[in-house]
């Protein structure tokens, strides 16, 4: 159990560093950025208490904000995501998952389910993130385009990371 | 009370969410740019070293693009410089032209200290010389028109070939038609000079004004000389016009030496040709 916590924390740090030092500087096509640090929230064990999840989401967002000069922006998006995660999971819970102490990943679900889970979560997070950032509906099309491109990039990057982790495990 | 606690128990996750949401949103919308800037400064302290190293690497990748950008910028700046050069040249030209038009004719005022009208080769002596910048070849006029041309200069005095000198020929023009010929004194009447070489077909009538032509560059254009009092054909193809001078050489006392930049330039050009 504690071993898992340390592992997860270490992975969270890796994701954060990767996000802050590499991905935040990418800026695809001038207005799209993959945000993969939310994987920290998405990979929390099913049994994580909700208040803990909320706090982790909030703090995670704050750290990203702190390094992106957007205090409160990512915190809001990650907070909402971590609030909605149990609802998402209850709606699309993979049928065969028995061990509630485990974490949602490809190996104990399926690639299709995991991809869906990731895509829905990323879309929710990115929608909140980009719309709070612009805070206007004036450039709705452009904002939606940014959401879609960034989401696509995020989902692909997350899946690559997860598949790479899966292969390493095997 | 129990039911309230139950409610809190059931809802505390949502309450936590709402509190944190309010906190994060207020952080985002209430944080002033000043605070954000301060945070970014703190960030730089923490991550500055790392970012410096990263930028060292990324700078390398960007070198080619930056080079191209710099080249473009250089080109643009060069073009701008050329544009400014052109503008500057135009400005300088304007200034110089204005300067020229101001100094195109520089008058050196002087008094006539000696004058003669009764010789065939009359001269005037002026009380200005090299000290005032007078040089031989400069034109001399009075308020009433052309007087003569400086012949020789000493340090404080200059001698002027009077228009009433049969050796002097100046270029003059019939003002109305623009036809020009050479003006000289025939040595007879000190009030009258002869304008030769005006073609027969030019319509001349008595009273027409004769001015300097400006072709000789000794005198600027349109300096009055006199008016037509008589004309007759000479040698079958030219008119000989008798011109009564505006200037009364007998009473002349105040004259101006004309220092013409154009003349200096033309002279140097002619010297080159010679």
């Amino acid at each position: 159990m504690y071993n898992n916590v340390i592992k997860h924390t270490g992975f969270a740090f890796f994701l954060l560093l990767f996000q802050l030092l590499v991905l935040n500087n990418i800026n695809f096509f001038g207005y799209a950025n993959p945000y993969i640090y939310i994987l920290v929230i998405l990979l929390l064990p099913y049994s994580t208490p909700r208040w803990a999840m909320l706090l982790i989401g909030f703090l995670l967002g704050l750290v990203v904000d702190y390094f992106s000069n957007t205090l409160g922006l990512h915190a809001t998006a990650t907070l909402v995501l971590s609030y909605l995660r149990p609802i998402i999971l209850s709606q699309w819970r993979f049928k065969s998952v028995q061990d509630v102490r485990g974490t949602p990943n490809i190996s104990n679900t399926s690639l299709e389910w995991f991809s869906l889970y990731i895509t829905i979560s990323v879309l929710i997070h990115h929608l909140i993130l980009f719309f709070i950032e612009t805070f206007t509906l004036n450039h709705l099309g452009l904002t939606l385009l940014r959401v879609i491109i960034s989401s696509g990039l995020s989902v692909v990057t997350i899946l690559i990371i997860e598949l790479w982790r899966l292969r390493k495990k095997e | 009370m129990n039911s309230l606690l139950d409610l809190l128990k059931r809802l505390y996750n949502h309450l936590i969410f709402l509190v944190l949401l309010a906190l994060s949103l207020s952080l985002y919308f209430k944080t002033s740019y000043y605070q954000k800037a301060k945070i970014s400064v703190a960030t730089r302290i923490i991550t500055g070293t790392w970012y410096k190293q990263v930028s060292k690497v990324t700078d390398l990748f960007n070198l080619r693009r930056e080079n191209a950008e710099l080249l473009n910028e250089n080109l643009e700046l060069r073009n701008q410089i050329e544009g400014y050069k052109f503008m500057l040249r135009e400005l300088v030209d304007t200034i110089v032209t204005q300067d020229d038009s101001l100094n195109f004719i520089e008058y050196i005022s002087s008094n006539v200290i000696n004058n003669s009208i009764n010789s065939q080769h009359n001269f005037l002596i002026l009380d200005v010389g090299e000290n005032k910048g007078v040089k031989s070849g400069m034109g001399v006029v009075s308020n009433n028109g052309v007087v003569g041309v400086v012949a020789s200069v000493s340090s404080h005095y200059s001698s002027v070939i009077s228009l009433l000198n049969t050796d002097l020929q100046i270029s003059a023009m019939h003002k109305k038609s623009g036809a020009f010929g050479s003006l000289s004194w025939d040595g007879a009447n000190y009030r009258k000079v002869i304008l030769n070489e005006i073609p027969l077909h030019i319509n001349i009538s008595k009273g027409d004004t004769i001015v300097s032509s400006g072709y000789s560059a000794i005198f600027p254009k349109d300096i009055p000389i006199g008016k037509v009092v008589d004309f007759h054909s000479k040698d079958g193809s030219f008119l000989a016009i008798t011109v009564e001078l505006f200037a009364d050489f007998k009473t002349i006392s105040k004259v101006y030496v004309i220092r013409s930049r154009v003349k200096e330039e033309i002279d140097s050009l002619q010297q080159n040709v010679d």
Side-chain angles (χ1 to χ4, degrees):
Chain A
M1 177 66 191
Y2 287 108
N3 198 21
N4 271 348
V5 171
I6 291 165
K7 255 189 186 170
H8 199 80
T9 314
F11 183 58
F13 265 103
F14 161 77
L15 282 179
L16 266 178
L17 281 178
F18 188 51
Q19 178 68 52
L20 293 173
L21 299 176
V22 180
L23 294 183
N24 270 9
N25 301 317
I26 283 180
N27 223 13
F28 282 104
F29 315 118
Y31 45 73
N33 231 12
Y35 293 104
I36 54 117
Y37 69 94
I38 55 167
L39 201 51
V40 174
I41 299 162
L42 299 182
L43 293 185
L44 285 171
Y46 295 112
S47 59
T48 314
R50 237 179 148 181
W51 60 267
M53 203 139 58
L54 289 172
L55 269 181
I56 290 169
F58 181 72
L59 291 174
L60 181 73
L62 267 190
V63 171
V64 175
D65 279 335
Y66 187 84
F67 287 94
S68 326
N69 306 326
T70 54
L71 204 60
L73 176 65
H74 286 276
T76 309
T78 48
L79 181 69
V80 174
L81 179 65
S82 47
Y83 177 74
L84 291 178
R85 196 191 93 137
I87 297 163
I88 297 165
L89 279 177
S90 69
Q91 293 294 315
W92 289 286
R93 187 152 200 166
F94 194 68
K95 306 275 181 318
S96 72
V97 168
Q98 305 297 324
D99 185 8
V100 289
R101 283 170 303 174
T103 64
N105 57 33
I106 298 171
S107 61
N108 62 19
T109 61
S110 70
L111 186 62
E112 292 81 15
W113 182 89
F114 191 77
S115 303
L116 188 68
Y117 169 57
I118 294 292
T119 308
I120 291 163
S121 308
V122 163
L123 272 174
I124 289 168
H125 173 266
H126 285 24
L127 270 172
I128 295 161
L129 188 73
F130 284 109
F131 274 98
I132 291 181
E133 192 187 17
T134 55
F135 207 64
T136 169
L137 295 180
N138 284 350
H139 311 292
L140 190 65
L142 183 67
T143 312
L144 280 175
L145 190 70
R146 287 177 70 194
V147 169
I148 289 163
I149 293 175
S150 291
S151 297
L153 286 170
S154 300
V155 168
V156 168
T157 316
I158 286 172
L159 285 179
I160 288 170
I161 290 171
E162 278 306 293
L163 286 170
W164 168 67
R165 262 159 40 104
L166 186 70
R167 244 185 62 182
K168 227 177 70 174
K169 226 182 264 177
E170 284 164 359
Chain B
M1 195 59 196
N2 257 352
S3 60
L4 185 66
L5 274 176
D6 279 350
L7 193 68
L8 274 177
K9 240 179 191 173
R10 270 193 289 132
L11 291 179
Y12 78 101
N13 279 325
H14 305 285
L15 287 176
I16 289 172
F17 168 68
L18 287 176
V19 169
L20 287 178
L21 188 67
L23 186 62
S24 60
L25 280 176
S26 66
L27 268 177
Y28 183 61
F29 290 113
K30 287 280 171 64
T31 319
S32 69
Y33 288 108
Y34 174 72
Q35 281 165 310
K36 279 180 182 166
K38 275 196 116 170
I39 289 165
S40 85
V41 167
T43 310
R44 291 294 164 271
I45 292 165
I46 298 163
T47 58
T49 324
W50 168 263
Y51 278 129
K52 209 186 259 174
Q53 299 304 317
V54 169
S55 77
K56 268 183 193 168
V57 178
T58 52
D59 281 357
L60 269 180
F61 288 114
N62 291 335
L63 266 184
R64 190 183 290 265
R65 190 174 48 84
E66 267 173 29
N67 253 340
E69 274 173 14
L70 279 174
L71 278 176
N72 271 336
E73 203 182 332
N74 252 347
L75 198 70
E76 231 165 77
L77 287 174
R78 264 171 205 272
N79 283 337
Q80 276 183 18
I81 285 174
E82 286 308 312
Y84 287 134
K85 268 187 185 169
F86 181 74
M87 280 161 67
L88 191 67
R89 220 178 295 136
E90 272 194 330
L91 277 176
V92 166
D93 278 357
T94 336
I95 292 162
V96 166
T97 335
Q98 281 176 347
D99 192 42
D100 255 357
S101 70
L102 285 174
N103 294 324
F104 177 57
I105 305 162
E106 192 186 346
Y107 289 107
I108 304 163
S109 86
S110 71
N111 296 307
V112 178
I113 56 171
N114 193 12
N115 186 20
S116 67
I117 53 164
N118 45 21
S119 157
Q120 293 289 298
H121 307 278
N122 291 308
F123 287 92
L124 300 94
I125 306 296
L126 310 181
D127 63 352
V128 291
E130 280 166 357
N131 61 334
K132 294 282 171 69
V134 178
K135 283 176 185 150
S136 67
M138 285 180 173
V140 179
V141 296
S142 73
N143 287 334
N144 294 321
V146 172
V147 172
V149 176
V150 176
S152 65
V153 185
S154 70
S155 60
H156 291 87
Y157 299 100
S158 50
S159 67
V160 175
I161 305 173
S162 168
L163 198 55
L164 304 179
N165 188 317
T166 50
D167 288 342
L168 184 69
Q169 286 201 340
I170 65 165
S171 180
M173 184 173 74
H174 179 231
K175 194 175 184 183
K176 219 181 262 174
S177 65
F180 66 93
S182 80
L183 189 82
S184 59
W185 188 46
D186 60 0
N189 189 333
Y190 82 98
R191 294 290 298 151
K192 288 174 181 143
V193 290
I194 309 298
L195 177 60
N196 287 309
E197 295 166 28
I198 296 287
L200 273 176
H201 69 269
I202 301 294
N203 260 336
I204 305 271
S205 51
K206 286 179 183 174
D208 285 351
T209 309
I210 303 298
V211 295
S212 61
S213 69
Y215 289 131
S216 70
I218 294 171
F219 300 101
K221 213 177 169 186
D222 287 339
I223 296 225
I225 293 170
K227 61 172 197 259
V228 176
V229 287
D230 194 14
F231 57 93
H232 56 89
S233 103
K234 190 183 159 193
D235 304 331
S237 55
F238 290 103
L239 286 172
I241 302 166
T242 308
V243 179
E244 190 184 56
L245 292 170
F246 290 130
D248 186 353
F249 278 72
K250 212 176 183 174
T251 60
I252 207 159
S253 65
K254 190 85 181 168
V255 294
Y256 304 95
V257 181
I258 298 164
R259 189 203 213 141
S260 165
R261 283 197 182 183
V262 175
K263 178 171 162 48
E264 285 165 16
E265 259 183 60
I266 289 173
D267 283 353
S268 71
L269 267 178
Q270 275 176 342
Q271 272 174 12
N272 284 348
V273 171
D274 292 342

